[in-house]
Amino acid sequence: MPDQRSVGQGSFDSVHHWLRISEIAPRSHEDRKLEWTIFSSPDPSDIQQGALGNCWLIAALALVSERPRLLEHILLTKEVNKEGAYLVRICHNGLWQATIIDDHFPATKHKQLVFTQAKRRQLYVPLIEKACAKVFGSYANLRRGNMQEGLQLLTGAPCDHMSLNAADPTFDNDLTWSQLISACHAK
């Protein structure tokens, strides 16, 4: 059963209860008309960061949401279910692992999700965030990270950072172009 340890240390005064997804109030008037789905034509602009401050993970999730095929690889449970059990696969420390989570989420006193969510009642965002929180030990442990780590969690691919600042004295235009072409060829 969810408890304070799942949320972790920090000032999350907005967590008033843990509610099943069926008990979460719609965010907008348009959402009232929609049923929950795992995802439906996901778009990066659907993602709304909550009270957590895990922008590193949210930015990676926004990139992945542009590729529904990647979401299908992460979300092993394809349909919202009354049992409230979901299987989510992430790549932690270089190894893919499937994590079972339930559909109880931290909620405000107004029955809204406290942490990250998606417009149009798509469940993929809070499910992936909760799976990551479970792997990292709590939601609070997701507050610090970097974009490369987020992309590795969601794609399993090694990630690198390249500065594209031409004013940087170490910037080499030809080398950067070669690295980009090489990455494209390697897919």
Side-chain angles (χ1 to χ4, degrees), residues 42-108:
D43 186 82
S45 65
D46 290 338
I47 300 172
Q48 300 173 320
Q49 187 171 2
L52 194 50
N54 58 347
C55 57
W56 64 275
L57 178 61
I58 302 313
L61 190 51
L63 282 173
V64 168
S65 70
E66 292 187 21
R67 293 262 173 86
R69 204 174 88 246
L70 289 174
L71 286 175
E72 290 172 5
H73 181 74
I74 296 167
L75 300 156
L76 300 177
T77 306
K78 306 298 184 201
E79 300 286 329
V80 175
N81 61 74
K82 64 182 176 190
E83 293 80 17
Y86 297 88
L87 196 56
V88 179
R89 178 176 30 211
I90 59 173
C91 186
H92 184 60
N93 293 331
L95 299 172
W96 283 102
Q97 62 186 64
T99 303
I100 298 172
I101 58 172
D102 62 28
D103 70 349
H104 288 85
F105 293 95
T108 67

Side-chain angles (χ1 to χ4, degrees), residues 1-21:
M1 193 63 175
D3 61 22
Q4 188 58 35
R5 289 177 301 179
S6 299
V7 173
Q9 298 296 321
S11 56
F12 296 116
D13 298 334
S14 51
V15 176
H16 284 267
H17 7 243
W18 286 79
L19 298 176
R20 292 203 60 194
I21 200 63

Side-chain angles (χ1 to χ4, degrees), residues 17-33:
H17 7 243
W18 286 79
L19 298 176
R20 292 203 60 194
I21 200 63
S22 59
E23 301 168 311
I24 298 294
R27 273 297 237 202
S28 67
H29 181 67
E30 294 82 32
D31 282 357
R32 284 185 210 289
K33 302 171 192 169

Side-chain angles (χ1 to χ4, degrees), residues 168-179:
D168 182 346
T170 62
F171 179 77
D172 181 336
N173 195 24
D174 292 330
L175 177 62
T176 301
W177 182 251
S178 296
Q179 289 173 319

